[in-house]
Amino acid sequence: MTNLSEGARAKLERLAAYLERNADRLTIDADVHPSDRAALPEAHVARMAGDPNYYHTRPILSDELVGIMDLAGVDMALCWQNPGVLEYTDDRAENDRRLTGANARIAALAEVHPERIIPAGWTDPKALGLEGALALARRCVEEFGMPVVKMNPAQNAFPITDSRVVAVVDEIAAMGAVPAFHFGSDTEFTPTEGLIEIAEHLGDHPVIAVHMGGGGGHFVEAEPVYQSARQAGLDHPNIFYALSAKRDVHMASALITYAAAGAPAQTQIAVASDAPYGDMIFQFGGFRALFDRLADGATYPDSRLRDAPDLFDPACVQRFMGGNVARLVAETCRRVLGAIPK
């Protein structure tokens, strides 16, 4: 039984109720990494002040985020800490202190903006050790009220199928929460076969795979990962993809593939920006323009739409733009609360 604090219980109940009430209208960015100004390493502060062309890992500051969301037409953002500004040490206890603080700041941001921010946690079985990673996962859910907890095998060089990772996945799932991964073609640590192994290990329990095989891989080298990731989701209904940091033509093709596949595939994918690694305004402007064209299936240059020119009707588009994330997170909150079986 999940040992939820009263504060976490109230947060999860409030979030679930809001998402259930508004799923059919919300636009949600499913992958955002805000940072607090006061917690930035000095090197990042100096570069932000002195180099306007500095963009790789250039933080989106928490006090800027809602304004950027407004400009992008984004109602809510699924937020986790930014690994690009979290500096690990050789001391596991210090790493725990730093990552716990980063998670606490995401939780605090959601407290200030409960109808704009969906808080998600982050743990790391290599930087913290297994026991530290398990404890932080529990704290993310039970104290901070986070329905999703992420790991990033690429960031700290550990295989997605490492026994420590599986143990943390099991702990997250046992609480009713959803494990999430950076799943990209940028390193050897997250092959599609590894994601499939995790998905099959979880059975019917969902897992979020952020980037759908993108995440910074070279276009040519990423191609087989893009293709195998697409099929993996069709074969495993418990895989949920946040579509970010991926070649744009593949994002368009993935959306068409999952729309054309019908249920449950139409509920397994959602658009996202990976801000600050992607520009939220640019990405959501592009998604809207794409969906406008896909809605005119008779003229869009993809043969799969010839027999289904009305496939991207408003309901389908809304699922991808926010409804799928809203329903996944709301259901997860209810599972953590014990309202539905784990």
Side-chain angles (χ1 to χ4, degrees):
M1 187 70 179
T2 305
N3 187 27
L4 285 176
S5 69
E6 288 306 310
R9 184 172 295 279
K11 293 173 189 176
L12 290 163
E13 176 61 49
R14 179 177 62 192
L15 179 59
Y18 184 77
L19 291 171
E20 289 163 349
R21 205 163 53 243
N22 295 287
D24 291 334
R25 69 163 188 86
L26 290 170
T27 294
I28 301 176
D29 187 334
D31 179 22
V32 179
H33 304 267
S35 304
D36 271 18
R37 189 185 304 270
L40 292 179
E42 290 183 6
H44 289 272
V45 175
R47 288 195 70 183
M48 290 176 71
D51 184 359
N53 293 311
Y54 157 50
Y55 280 100
H56 186 65
T57 74
R58 183 185 185 95
I60 283 183
L61 300 176
S62 295
D63 55 9
E64 301 172 332
L65 178 57
V66 169
I68 292 170
M69 291 167 62
D70 288 342
L71 290 172
V74 169
D75 299 306
M76 299 189 80
L78 177 64
C79 292
W80 21 51
Q81 67 97 20
N82 181 358
V85 298
L86 182 76
E87 297 179 349
Y88 284 140
T89 71
D90 294 329
D91 184 337
R92 285 180 171 175
E94 177 61 17
N95 293 341
D96 186 282
R97 186 190 70 80
R98 295 184 182 193
L99 187 51
T100 298
N103 283 316
R105 288 187 286 275
I106 295 295
L109 182 63
E111 277 286 289
V112 176
H113 302 288
E115 295 183 357
R116 305 301 299 272
I117 306 300
I118 300 170
W122 196 293
T123 194
D124 193 318
K126 185 176 180 182
L128 278 59
L130 176 57
E131 291 307 315
L134 291 169
L136 184 53
R138 288 191 292 269
R139 191 171 182 186
C140 285
V141 178
E142 296 177 349
E143 178 182 338
F144 297 148
M146 294 167 158
V148 177
V149 182
K150 184 177 179 180
M151 288 178 275
N152 188 338
Q155 175 201 11
N156 209 23
F158 56 83
I160 190 172
T161 53
D162 186 290
S163 61
R164 296 167 296 177
V165 173
V166 176
V168 177
V169 163
D170 286 344
E171 186 74 7
I172 295 167
M175 292 184 287
V178 172
F181 289 95
H182 169 105
F183 167 57
S185 51
D186 47 341
T187 74
E188 70 272 25
F189 299 109
T190 55
T192 303
E193 295 78 12
L195 175 64
I196 290 172
E197 187 173 325
I198 292 292
E200 292 180 347
H201 175 76
L202 284 167
D204 293 333
H205 195 93
V207 57
I208 298 174
V210 184
H211 311 312
M212 201 178 181
H218 185 282
F219 281 169
V220 175
E221 294 171 351
E223 182 73 20
V225 183
Y226 288 174
Q227 297 288 351
S228 59
R230 187 172 309 176
Q231 189 60 46
L234 296 174
D235 293 340
H236 298 83
N238 63 324
I239 294 176
F240 187 97
Y241 285 126
L243 199 55
S244 64
K246 186 180 173 91
R247 194 173 184 179
D248 50 6
V249 293
H250 272 281
M251 289 198 279
S253 184
L255 289 163
I256 294 169
T257 298
Y258 278 62
Q266 284 192 4
T267 66
Q268 289 176 242
I269 194 168
V271 299
S273 72
D274 196 26
Y277 303 95
D279 185 284
M280 186 186 295
I281 299 167
F282 180 90
Q283 295 294 329
F284 274 79
F287 285 129
R288 287 189 177 91
L290 173 65
F291 285 129
D292 283 347
R293 289 300 313 280
L294 290 173
D296 186 12
T299 60
Y300 189 84
D302 189 300
S303 60
R304 291 172 292 182
L305 297 181
R306 295 295 179 267
D307 296 329
D310 300 322
L311 182 62
F312 283 87
D313 61 17
C316 177
V317 172
Q318 172 55 26
R319 281 192 289 273
F320 294 144
M321 286 289 283
N324 286 341
V325 176
R327 293 181 180 90
L328 174 67
V329 173
E331 182 177 290
T332 302
C333 291
R334 295 298 182 197
R335 189 167 51 242
V336 175
L337 289 164
I340 59 177
K342 295 185 179 68

